[in-house]
Every structure is written in C-alpha cells, then in structure tokens.
Amino acid sequence: MKIINLKTNHIENPLGFDLSKPSLSFVTCDTNAKKQVAAQIIVALDKEFNDIVFDSGKSEEIDSLAFKLPIDLRPRIRYYWKVTVWANNGDIATSESAWFETAKIDESWSSKWITPELDSVIHPVLNKEFNIEKSIKCARAYVCGLGLYEININGQKCGEEYLAPNFNAYDKWLQYQTYDITNTLEQGKNTIDVLLGNGMYKGRFGLSRTENLYGDKFALLCEIVIDFEDGTSLVINSDETWKSRKSKILSSGIYDGEVYDSTFNEQTSYEVREIDLGTDKLKARLSLPVKMKERLKPIEIITTPAGETVLDLGQNMVGWIEFKTNAPKGSEITLQYGEILQEGNFYRDNLQSAKCEFKYISDGEEAVVRPHFTYYGFRYVKVSGYHGKVNSDNFTGCVLYSDMELTGHIETSNPLVNRLFLNALWGQKGNFLDVPTDCPQRDERLGWTGDAQVFSGTASFNMDTFAFFNKYMYDIAREQEVREGLVPNIVPVAGTGDGCSSGWSDVATIIPWNVYVQYGDKRILEQQFDSMKAWVDFIKKQDDNSGSRRLWITSFQLGDWLALDGENPNSFAGGTETGFIASAYYYYSSRIVAKAAKILEKEELFKEYEALASEIREAIRKEYFTSTGRLALKNQTAYIIALYMDLAPEGKVERVINDLRERFKADKNHLKTGFIGTPYLCKALSENRCNDLAYTLLLNKDYPSWLYAVTMGATTIWERWNSVLPDGKISGTDMNSLNHYSYGSIVEWMYRYMAGINPVESKPGFRHIKLTPMPDYRLKYAKASYNSSVGLYESQWEISEEGNLSFRFLIPFNASATLILPNAKLENVKVNSKLLKETDLNSSKSNENVIVELVSGSYEFYYVPKVAYIKYYSTECSYEELVKNEESKKRLVEVLPIMLPDHMIGKVGDKSLRELSHMPFFPVSSDVLDELDKKLGEIKVNID
Ligand code: BGC
C-alpha cells in the first residue's frame, strides 16, 4: 500500500500561496484493501517530525479529499506533514512527507514600491547589490512587479515560472510570489536584477485595445529575508537605494510581442523613487505558476510559394519559440506567428490587430533566445533574417500553461474521435494560462466567463483544476463586489465594463458547483457562496423590478452564441429565444445556490432558493410549454436545455424527447447549436434515450460537426463550426480563432457517457460514482482513465465482431461505483470469468440494464447483449409498412421478444429494416435473429 498525491489546497508542496484555510488531501493506492478505516495526520515544523504542531491521532474521521487542518498558521513557516492510513485488510502505510510554506500572512511590509526615474515606455531593470558575509540557512524573496516581471539573482532566473505576477483584477488585489533563493545567493557580493514588462497591467490589452488599463508605471515591491546559521537575519527591501537601468527589451505587449536588442548595452544608472501603491491590496498568490510544460520540435520547415521560411510545429500551441543563433552583430531576426497557411503561404489576418511578432537584434554572440513578456497562439512561424539555414534543431516550441496535473485520457477505435479529444486538451493547454481565456492568439485573450463555464466540466476531467478555478472564482467575487452582484462577461474586467449575460455570468454558480462535485472539497462553496447568491439576487432584482414574473426577459443577452439557426446566418446570435435561455439559467443557478446552501447547512437559504427555483420553473412551464407539453420554441438548443435543466412539465418529458427527435430529423441529424446548446447536447441526448443520436452527432464528419474540423486537419477546437471552409480557406477574419475551447465541451460527455465515469453529487469527489458506459456499435472500443481525487478510475468497453460486449473497470481504494450495464440479461453476465449471479457482488435488473454495486478493485465483465448490435438485416421492407398491417405487426411482436420501444413506433419514417438495424440498440434479440430471418419472409408476403 502506498500513499501518494499529498496536496495542500490541491497544490503539491505549495510555496508562498494564500493558505488561510489549509485543506490537506492524499490518495491511497497499490493495495488490495477496499477501504480506509482510520488515518492519522501529523504536522511538524521540521522534516524529522520532532517539533510537532498538530497530531490528529488515529481517527476514523479523516477525509482524504479535504482534511481541514485546525491550526492557525504562522507567517513564513514551512510546515511538514505526513499521513498514515489503516486499511480494512490490516494494511498500514505512511506517506513520504510533504510540505507547505506560508507567505507573509498579515506581516507588514518593510519594503516600498519603487519605480524607475525613466520614461514609462522604457523597459527597466531594477537592481540592487549587497554583500553577505555569514553562512545562509534559508532565504526567501517576496516579490510583486508590475505589469510583469522576471527576477534574476547573480545572473540566474529565480523560479521556473513565467509571466508573473499573473493576471487578476489588479485594481482590487495584487499577488506576490515567494521564491526560495537559499541556494541562489552567495557569500560575498550579490546582485538582484528585476526586469519589468507591460503585460495586461499597462500594455495594450482588453476589448478597447488600449494601454494603461490598470496603471501607467512600472513598479516593483521586493522583500528578501535571509536567515543565517547563527540565528540572525538580514532583510533587503526595495527602496530608494535601488537603481535602475534601461533593459534590452525595447517594447513588449501581450498582443504585439516583443523587441529585444542585445546590442543595447547602456549601463547608465538611474534613480528609482517610491511610488504609492500601498500594500493593502497585496495578497499571497492564488495563481498557479505558468510553466514551460512541454517542448515541441517543428515537424517541417516550409518554403512557401511566396518564398517565406515557415516553421510548422505540427500542433496549434501556446507559448513561444526559443531559438539558437550566432548571427553577426546587428542582424535582425523576426519571428511572426500564425495559426494557418492560406494557399500555402504564411497568414495571420484572423489575429486582427495583434501583431504577434518577436524581433531579436543580435550582438554577435551565440545565444539561446526567447521573449519574456508576451505569448503567442500558433502553429506556423515565419522566420526572417535568420543567419544560416533554418533547421529544426535550432528552434523549439515552448508550451506554456498553468502548472496543473494531467488527470484524464480517452482513446477509442476511431482516430478522428481521438484527435478530437486531443484538440480539446490542447485548447485547454493553450487557454489556461492563469486566466481561462476565449482564445490565445488574436487581440482578445480575455477571461470570457461563458467560455470558461461551458468548458469547466471537460477541463476538470482533463486536469486537476481546483486551484486554477479557485483563483478565477476569487476574481469573479471581487469583480462582483463593486457591481451589486453583477458578474461581468469578462473577468478580470480589463476595462471591458459591466455587461452581463445568462450563460456567461452563471459562471459564478456553475464553476464552484462543478469544482465541488469533481473534487469533493466544500471549501470552494464556502469561499464562493456569497458570490453565487449575489449573482442570483442580481437577476432576481431585475425580475422584481419588472413585475416579478420569475422569468429573466428584460436584458440584452448573448444567447446561443454562434449557433447556426439564427435568423441571419451571418450574425453571432443563435435562433433560440434569449429570454428562454436566460430564464432557464435563472432557474439553474437558483437551484445550485439552494444545493450549495444545503451543503453548507444554511437551511433557511436552502428553502428560500429552492422555493425561488420552483417558482421560476413554474413560470417557464407556463410561458414556454403548451398544456400538452409542446415546447413553444423549435430550436435544438431549446429542447436540449429543457431536457438538461429538467424544465419540461411533469409527465411531458416523452413529448419533448419525441419532438427533439423530429427536430433533428428535420435537421438531417446535424447539430445547429452554439455556445449554450453544444455543451449540453450529447449529455441531454444520452440521458434521454437518444444515445444513438449523440453518437451520430459525435461521428458526423460533414459540416456542421465536431469531426468536420478534425478532417480539415484541426489540432485544436475552432471558434466556429466552419472556421475553415472545405476548400481550406478561412471563413472570415471577424472573430475567427482556431483555438477556442468552448465546443471542446463534448469531451465531458466522452468521460461521463461514452465511458460512463460520473461523479455523484451526494458523494462528491468521486468517492462514489455512477458508472454508466454507453457503447455504440459504430465504435469498436472506447477507454477512459481518470485520476480523480480519490484515485485512478478506468472504464473501457469493446464490442466484438459478433456483437458481444466486454468491459474493464478499475475502481480506486476507498471508492465505490454503481455500475449500470446496458442491454444486459442478468443470467448472461460474467464478471472476472464467473457468472455474475454466482459472485457475492450485489446485482439487480432494471429494464434493459443490469445494475451491480462495485467496491474498489478491478473487474472484467462480459456478456452477449440482450439486444444485438447488428450490422445489417435481411429485409428491405420498411418498418412502417410492416406495422401498418395489423397481422404482420402482430406476428412481428410474436417474433421479437422485445418490441421496438414506443417512441420509435411510427417515428421511423421510410427507413427500411436494413437501415434501422444500423441504429444502436436496435432491439432485436440476438438469440432470435435466425428465427426472425426465417419468419420475416412470411411477413413480407403478407404486406405484398
Ligand atoms: C469571444 C467569445 C465570447 C464572445 C461573447 C467573443 O469575442 O471570443 O468566445 O464568449 O465574444 O460575446
């Protein structure tokens, strides 16, 4: 037995984070035991655990997902902790030790904010020299530099992160980082150089594309605390004793790139002066560091028809190119970044006003070069002015994103689906640089809340997003504070104003809820509850001001953004009535607030929001449904939302499902949904007996579909269903990004429905799951793994040539699953080579399914499905014709042990049995196929 993944506030060994309410988590693995019976957590001030500050004792109460450490933390202390687990089979294991280290907590700052006495467009280096005579025990630097900074000590970059201090609502709070510089400092002379860049703080940024959104001056706050072996300390403060000089960076900007002149070597020293930014806004970091997570080599160096030299990274990625050069002094090397070639040539008009360049002027020395204060979203890089032959050895694509652990993987028998999964994953890598952004390349790259909301489910399967979203949600709450609960469409606001919209602003309720269910740590709800409630209260106020109809139909809404059923096909607006969408989210968010209140034991609030939610649902039913259950709107998204959000009137779900089927039939089984409908589309279909249609939509290859982009060579998710036209031409330059993750939300369906790994709200954090794999014969197999907070889950299925089903599952230690095997006869099912009925697993049947309760362990299930996954059938006669004739219908009923489900009768139109049999779960029992074959001949005669 082993204990791994020790995390504090969901971060491994966090240094200098805001840890005010530490929550400890760990995973037990490599054991045959099923359950934790007790655990003990010990926290000490030393690695040897001599100086113990907390000992839980052996306790049955310790939750491995979130143990709230009940001690007050002291500033600037490294705490070590370890855990021992006792398992039900007598196994005992103790973990290696982990640590977390506090920042300054409430200690005041002795350092001052300083700014150089230089024109504010000149990128400065702020520097300080000092001597160390004694032997160092431990040293830390606490730093915030604005807009962005890199700190070097004795010529060495501190820390592994880039683009610090990250991006947040700078007008409300500023994050400082902590660096362990014990081994960077030296005895004798030491030099600190802090290089400053513009970033989002003062560079050209935001929808206004203007400068100085948060401030117009470079600034630095730096406090270095050195503890010596002899027990004394030295503090080096940023103050007016520091100096500054002009750096080699001539310009920098998130959108436009960077110009770096290595020939520039002016050493003139300029004074610095104090600048009054105060220290009230400073807070220990919440942002995960942005790190260089991967390095890619160009797959090809292209000479284009226009004669350009272009690197092809083979993958639309985010970060920058690092290159080696020994160009002669004064040579100017320019890199330009783009996402796609057009007619074989370099292209970047879809980046709009963003220049996305890097210029390097060589000083004649051999150098490895990279930018500092920008990043690019690109697959292709045009290289000009490079001295010598451009070859891939000298160029590397450095992939940057927030330091999150990869947790999920999906593979199927269909390579296009596999690529779709990767495209969404790369979309996440490229757009999770501290803030979840809409896109990483053009002149936006903003924290559009709707995009983050719809993708959060997928994101949290792919990677451990707790800390990442925790920080984003903190920003959301801060932006709301000054807006009476309104959640802006873009967070951090970055000068974009107070626009809000359903689906976007509901980020305030949906992400905390998703994160809670995914990771099982209530802290996110505790932290966000006021913000969640404030958003619903904001809508309610608007509703109350316009007659308390319990609908939200009074404001401008973004609606089903980019859906294909809008009145004007060129407009961004989808066709679904925005008041319906807004009212549905009003309901959905109110319900989430009620559920969160319940969990936080706020009984009164639970009742209040539950009542509000019921009133809204009633109002929606009255306004949008006829008394017979017909939905008054005819859009795919409207049906999908009605089903997904459970809006259909009592007893009318069937009607909505049938009408939805009709809708899709009229749309030739192709999607038309936008940002609102798409994330729920396949989920609502699979949940409502339309799993076949979910697979049809997944597997469609022609426009509009997910795989259309894949067949066009996409390596990330596009903003539009047709961002690139079949002839390879970009469909337009107005809002057309090739790395926009919203439609990547299909991947959540792959984990939850295709593979069936579903968290259960009442046992969050995957302590218990509903395991509902939903195979479809159009894939031979699918497998998913998910390294949850409890441990590793695996789920895979395979359909053999004969149509038989096999499954493999792994349920981690201290977890359990309710498995629902589709299309199974209890008597037939085998598990780990034995008949299920002969094992001691608790099983039962329900309709076409077999239900089995699983505890931790690995399982292989096998059975001949109750309903064959048949590929073709022998008659051409249409089913409708068949059932028209009472006699033949009767005989068919006799022949087929399971009749077609009611909803399919009369719905199959002119499809022949041959076509019908291509539908999954076509209910023809495999054991009677032969018999049916024989008897159908007779039936056919009857029809004729
Ligand atoms: C962004 C979207 C965003 C939308 C909403 C666009 O410019 O790129 O992803 O959600 O605006 O208005």
Side-chain angles (χ1 to χ4, degrees):
M1 188 158 99
K2 245 180 35 200
I3 301 175
I4 56 167
N5 278 13
L6 275 71
K7 291 185 181 173
T8 307
N9 288 6
H10 306 269
I11 309 168
E12 224 172 281
N13 298 339
L15 169 64
F17 280 75
D18 174 52
L19 298 172
S20 33
K21 289 179 189 137
S23 120
L24 308 179
S25 55
F26 56 90
V27 168
T28 306
C29 60
D30 287 0
T31 172
N32 291 326
K34 306 291 175 211
K35 276 197 170 316
Q36 172 182 311
V37 289
Q40 177 175 25
I41 287 180
I42 301 179
V43 184
L45 296 178
D46 59 330
K47 272 189 204 147
E48 294 74 33
F49 289 83
N50 291 324
D51 196 352
I52 291 176
V53 290
F54 174 79
D55 184 347
S56 68
K58 183 176 172 183
S59 158
E60 288 168 20
E61 303 299 311
I62 290 176
D63 177 8
S64 64
L65 294 176
F67 174 74
K68 277 192 186 172
L69 188 61
I71 58 171
D72 287 331
L73 300 181
R74 298 191 345 241
R76 295 186 296 102
I77 298 281
R78 182 167 291 198
Y79 293 86
Y80 296 85
W81 66 282
K82 60 183 178 182
V83 54
T84 301
V85 170
W86 286 262
N88 64 324
N89 65 350
D91 272 6
I92 305 176
T94 299
S95 70
E96 304 269 301
S97 73
W99 54 263
F100 57 90
E101 183 177 313
T102 53
K104 287 167 66 68
I105 306 192
D106 47 6
E107 274 184 344
S108 60
W109 290 79
S110 51
S111 295
K112 306 285 181 224
W113 281 104
I114 52 172
T115 190
E117 291 277 24
L118 281 167
D119 190 296
S120 65
V121 297
I122 297 173
H123 284 57
V125 178
L126 270 54
N127 58 293
K128 168 87 182 171
E129 283 184 4
F130 60 96
N131 272 310
I132 293 181
E133 265 130 39
K134 299 193 254 184
S135 130
I136 301 167
K137 187 172 153 213
C138 164
R140 298 286 182 268
Y142 302 94
V143 189
C144 179
L146 297 170
L148 300 172
Y149 74 94
E150 281 188 7
I151 172 166
N152 295 283
I153 295 185
N154 302 326
Q156 198 183 321
K157 181 180 174 306
C158 301
E160 292 174 353
E161 69 186 287
Y162 299 94
L163 304 169
N166 300 108
F167 178 33
N168 52 274
Y170 297 124
D171 50 339
K172 310 209 166 44
W173 62 297
L174 294 168
Q175 305 187 63
Y176 63 91
Q177 286 69 41
T178 303
Y179 300 87
D180 180 354
I181 53 167
T182 313
N183 299 321
T184 324
L185 292 174
E186 289 160 7
Q187 295 252 320
K189 194 177 110 180
N190 286 274
T191 310
I192 314 173
D193 283 323
V194 183
L195 181 61
L196 295 170
N198 288 323
M200 296 81 171
Y201 181 81
K202 73 186 275 293
R204 194 169 81 83
F205 195 67
L207 284 188
S208 60
R209 282 98 194 179
T210 49
E211 293 179 359
N212 304 333
L213 288 175
Y214 291 98
D216 59 1
K217 295 206 170 36
F218 289 113
L220 170 71
L221 183 80
C222 175
E223 198 159 298
I224 292 181
V225 183
I226 309 162
D227 295 330
F228 297 112
E229 292 288 1
D230 68 2
T232 61
S233 310
L234 171 69
V235 180
I236 307 288
N237 292 311
S238 52
D239 57 23
E240 293 190 344
T241 65
W242 284 52
K243 296 283 178 234
S244 62
R245 62 174 189 273
K246 297 176 185 169
S247 76
K248 293 172 192 283
I249 296 180
L250 303 189
S251 70
S252 77
I254 297 295
Y255 296 155
D256 297 326
E258 194 168 303
V259 179
Y260 191 94
D261 182 356
S262 338
T263 64
F264 183 82
N265 209 9
E266 187 191 293
Q267 290 302 324
T268 317
S269 229
Y270 297 85
E271 297 297 312
V272 301
R273 66 180 164 78
E274 244 183 84
I275 173 172
D276 185 20
L277 291 176
T279 51
D280 302 351
K281 280 194 217 151
L282 285 164
K283 183 174 165 73
R285 71 182 307 156
L286 286 175
S287 285
L288 291 169
V290 169
K291 289 191 177 168
M292 191 183 297
K293 301 285 290 179
E294 291 169 52
R295 290 168 72 85
L296 304 183
K297 280 288 170 195
I299 55 164
E300 200 185 343
I301 314 284
I302 304 168
T303 303
T304 68
E308 306 142 318
T309 304
V310 173
L311 314 176
D312 177 2
L313 273 296
Q315 171 62 54
N316 196 340
M317 57 158 280
V318 173
W320 54 56
I321 292 286
E322 177 190 277
F323 62 92
K324 234 194 251 165
T325 167
N326 56 4
K329 187 167 178 180
S331 344
E332 195 175 302
I333 300 166
T334 305
L335 305 187
Q336 291 172 306
Y337 293 79
E339 293 189 287
I340 187 170
L341 301 180
Q342 290 287 268
E343 286 164 5
N345 293 319
F346 183 73
Y347 174 90
R348 57 173 187 157
D349 290 356
N350 65 322
L351 310 188
Q352 299 184 336
S353 78
K355 276 205 218 133
C356 303
E357 280 186 0
F358 179 66
K359 260 197 187 24
Y360 175 75
I361 302 158
S362 169
D363 60 357
E365 299 290 319
E366 187 171 294
V368 175
V369 181
R370 61 151 174 111
H372 303 78
F373 301 125
T374 189
Y375 68 89
Y376 312 90
F378 63 100
R379 170 171 173 172
Y380 298 98
V381 185
K382 178 173 146 191
V383 182
S384 338
Y386 189 77
H387 186 76
K389 192 169 161 33
V390 172
N391 71 47
S392 52
D393 292 346
N394 292 335
F395 292 83
T396 306
C398 302
V399 181
L400 301 182
Y401 54 93
S402 289
D403 192 19
M404 288 171 288
E405 180 194 336
L406 276 174
T407 46
H409 189 72
I410 288 189
E411 191 198 306
T412 72
S413 54
N414 183 326
L416 298 177
V417 173
N418 298 345
R419 185 64 241 187
L420 175 63
F421 164 74
L422 287 179
N423 289 3
L425 182 64
W426 275 98
Q428 181 168 359
K429 291 175 181 175
N431 284 293
F432 273 44
L433 271 82
D434 193 40
V435 166
T437 50
D438 55 337
C439 58
Q441 72 298 74
R442 68 163 177 245
D443 53 359
E444 270 197 75
R445 314 189 196 186
L446 293 164
W448 281 97
T449 48
D451 307 41
Q453 181 268 106
V454 302
F455 190 68
S456 61
T458 293
S460 304
F461 271 100
N462 284 341
M463 299 186 196
D464 181 348
T465 59
F466 191 103
F468 179 86
F469 280 135
N470 182 54
K471 178 259 172 179
Y472 185 54
M473 296 322 294
Y474 182 78
D475 257 326
I476 298 231
R478 300 302 304 266
E479 296 285 22
Q480 277 178 282
E481 270 168 20
V482 291
R483 294 179 170 82
E484 297 176 3
L486 176 149
V487 179
N489 287 331
I490 296 175
V491 174
V493 164
T496 51
D498 293 342
C500 70
S501 172
S502 64
W504 273 251
S505 305
D506 296 283
V507 72
T509 54
I510 293 174
I511 291 190
W513 184 253
N514 284 352
V515 168
Y516 164 70
V517 174
Q518 194 85 12
Y519 302 103
D521 185 349
K522 270 197 257 191
R523 240 169 34 94
I524 188 86
L525 297 181
E526 286 161 1
Q527 177 189 299
Q528 293 306 124
F529 187 76
D530 290 347
S531 141
M532 298 163 80
K533 177 172 161 313
W535 167 241
V536 171
D537 292 348
F538 174 87
I539 312 174
K540 182 164 178 286
K541 200 163 157 194
Q542 298 230 331
D543 169 20
D544 284 340
N545 289 342
S546 57
S548 305
R549 294 180 61 186
R550 296 298 170 254
L551 299 171
W552 190 19
I553 45 179
T554 46
S555 313
F556 166 78
Q557 303 287 346
L558 293 166
D560 195 16
W561 190 251
L562 297 183
L564 302 174
D565 57 358
E567 265 173 39
N568 171 358
N570 297 322
S571 127
F572 303 142
T576 308
E577 193 179 306
T578 59
F580 174 73
I581 297 175
S583 303
Y585 271 104
Y586 181 17
Y587 164 72
Y588 195 63
S589 278
S590 304
R591 282 232 55 207
I592 292 178
V593 170
K595 289 193 282 186
K598 181 94 188 158
I599 282 149
L600 300 177
E601 294 169 23
K602 298 172 190 284
E603 210 44 46
E604 284 307 304
L605 288 175
F606 161 68
K607 283 188 201 140
E608 183 183 333
Y609 287 86
E610 194 58 26
L612 174 65
S614 303
E615 287 172 30
I616 301 167
R617 186 157 66 173
E618 261 331 289
I620 292 174
R621 286 172 174 173
K622 262 202 203 121
E623 178 70 20
Y624 294 102
F625 288 89
T626 66
S627 56
T628 52
R630 188 202 321 193
L631 179 58
L633 310 176
K634 290 274 160 277
N635 312 80
Q636 291 182 3
T637 290
Y639 289 114
I640 290 297
I641 289 187
L643 290 172
Y644 186 79
M645 296 193 183
D646 195 15
L647 300 175
E650 244 23 82
K652 302 293 186 248
V653 173
E654 282 308 306
R655 169 78 201 251
V656 177
I657 298 174
N658 290 340
D659 292 353
L660 166 72
R661 280 253 179 210
E662 287 298 314
R663 167 79 270 166
F664 272 98
K665 204 166 144 195
D667 293 334
K668 303 201 164 40
N669 285 344
H670 277 70
L671 56 77
K672 287 194 166 180
T673 50
F675 275 33
I676 295 295
T678 306
Y680 305 136
L681 180 57
C682 287
K683 292 199 246 177
L685 291 171
S686 294
E687 280 285 351
N688 290 286
R689 293 187 292 95
C690 300
N691 191 49
D692 58 324
L693 187 50
Y695 274 94
T696 301
L697 299 179
L698 171 75
L699 297 172
N700 278 340
K701 285 195 282 215
D702 52 340
Y703 169 81
S705 69
W706 280 283
L707 295 186
Y708 166 66
V710 176
T711 59
M712 291 297 294
T715 59
T716 36
I717 305 286
W718 296 341
E719 181 168 19
R720 294 167 181 264
W721 291 115
N722 70 343
S723 284
V724 181
L725 302 172
D727 62 4
K729 288 214 172 66
I730 193 133
S731 60
T733 52
D734 189 11
M735 257 191 41
N736 201 353
S737 129
L738 303 186
N739 191 357
H740 227 80
Y741 53 50
S742 294
Y743 295 153
S745 50
I746 180 67
V747 168
E748 185 185 356
W749 172 86
M750 295 186 196
Y751 284 109
R752 282 175 177 253
Y753 293 88
M754 189 167 83
I757 304 176
N758 269 293
V760 169
E761 288 185 0
S762 59
K763 297 248 172 83
F766 291 76
R767 185 64 82 205
H768 182 81
I769 67 163
K770 202 169 119 196
L771 188 52
T772 53
M774 298 181 116
D776 182 279
Y777 73 93
R778 285 165 286 184
L779 294 180
K780 282 201 178 70
Y781 71 87
K783 33 179 156 177
S785 64
Y786 175 52
N787 214 347
S788 75
S789 306
V790 172
L792 180 65
Y793 277 97
E794 283 174 0
S795 167
Q796 68 182 68
W797 53 259
E798 201 175 331
I799 303 175
S800 70
E801 277 302 313
E802 301 74 44
N804 299 333
L805 279 170
S806 56
F807 296 84
R808 232 185 61 76
F809 305 114
L810 183 68
I811 315 294
F813 173 79
N814 217 17
S816 54
T818 301
L819 166 66
I820 300 177
L821 288 170
N823 191 12
K825 250 192 221 157
L826 190 49
E827 310 75 59
N828 269 348
V829 178
K830 282 188 170 171
V831 54
N832 299 345
S833 309
K834 281 197 204 135
L835 274 176
L836 174 61
K837 285 187 70 177
E838 289 167 10
T839 67
D840 52 11
L841 287 170
N842 187 351
S843 58
S844 56
K845 6 179 211 211
S846 142
N847 303 329
E848 293 99 56
N849 304 321
V850 164
I851 303 171
V852 194
E853 295 300 333
L854 302 179
V855 293
S856 155
S858 61
Y859 301 89
E860 283 181 23
F861 283 85
Y862 171 85
Y863 54 89
V864 178
K866 195 163 164 183
V867 173
Y869 293 77
I870 48 175
K871 297 266 170 49
Y872 63 90
Y873 204 64
S874 56
T875 180
E876 293 293 343
C877 147
S878 108
Y879 178 75
E880 216 162 48
E881 277 171 72
L882 209 59
V883 292
K884 248 192 280 166
N885 178 309
E886 269 319 304
E887 222 224 306
S888 64
K889 186 172 163 188
K890 209 171 124 231
R891 297 177 78 158
L892 193 67
V893 175
E894 281 164 15
V895 173
L896 299 175
I898 311 143
M899 194 50 204
L900 287 181
D902 282 353
H903 79 276
M904 283 177 71
I905 294 186
K907 295 280 165 207
V908 291
D910 55 6
K911 274 195 179 16
S912 71
L913 272 182
R914 183 187 296 274
E915 284 172 279
L916 256 185
S917 67
H918 282 275
M919 296 176 76
F921 295 101
F922 178 56
V924 181
S925 166
S926 59
D927 359 339
V928 295
L929 275 177
D930 292 344
E931 209 189 334
L932 185 62
D933 243 334
K934 276 185 248 145
K935 296 202 177 177
L936 271 174
E938 297 168 32
I939 293 169
K940 209 169 170 188
V941 173
N942 277 335
I943 291 169
D944 290 342

